[in-house]
Amino acid sequence: GGPKRFNELHRAVPDISQKMLTQTLRDLQRDGYVSRRVFDTKPPSVEYRLTPLGQSLIVPFGHLIEWANKSFDDITVSRSNFDSSNAR
């Protein structure tokens, strides 16, 4: 959905620490999925955006998310069965 600033990303993923988000963005940038642009303002502002490589993941991830949503109930049952049989 276009470029995002760090705080926008942090609000969108509320259960992640600032340190972990910073590291994740750095790793994504290193792998070529995300670009980082620094603006010469006071204080400096930074925006992140998906690169073409990162955008190419949207459709495959969409399929993975769809599969996970469809499989959620089966996974929950499997986990429950596993936990019950190993609770001895």
Side-chain angles (χ1 to χ4, degrees):
K4 303 285 186 218
R5 295 201 174 174
F6 183 88
N7 286 332
E8 289 178 272
L9 294 169
H10 196 244
R11 282 190 299 273
V13 188
D15 293 336
I16 192 169
S17 70
Q18 186 170 343
K19 180 180 178 182
M20 182 53 73
L21 179 57
T22 298
Q23 183 61 51
T24 300
L25 287 168
R26 191 171 291 134
D27 291 343
L28 291 170
Q29 183 182 5
R30 179 176 181 247
D31 292 342
Y33 302 122
V34 169
S35 65
R36 180 178 184 265
R37 183 174 175 196
V38 180
F39 293 93
D40 189 23
T41 58
K42 302 255 182 196
S45 59
V46 178
E47 72 177 22
Y48 298 88
R49 75 171 54 228
L50 289 175
T51 63
L53 181 62
Q55 290 174 354
S56 74
L57 287 172
I58 291 172
V59 170
F61 274 170
H63 292 301
L64 179 60
I65 291 166
E66 182 180 332
W67 172 87
N69 287 334
K70 287 180 183 176
S71 302
F72 182 78
D73 291 338
D74 292 334
I75 293 167
T76 301
V77 168
S78 293
R79 286 179 177 176
S80 179
N81 291 340
F82 180 88
D83 292 346
S84 295
S85 66
N86 290 307
R88 300 175 209 156

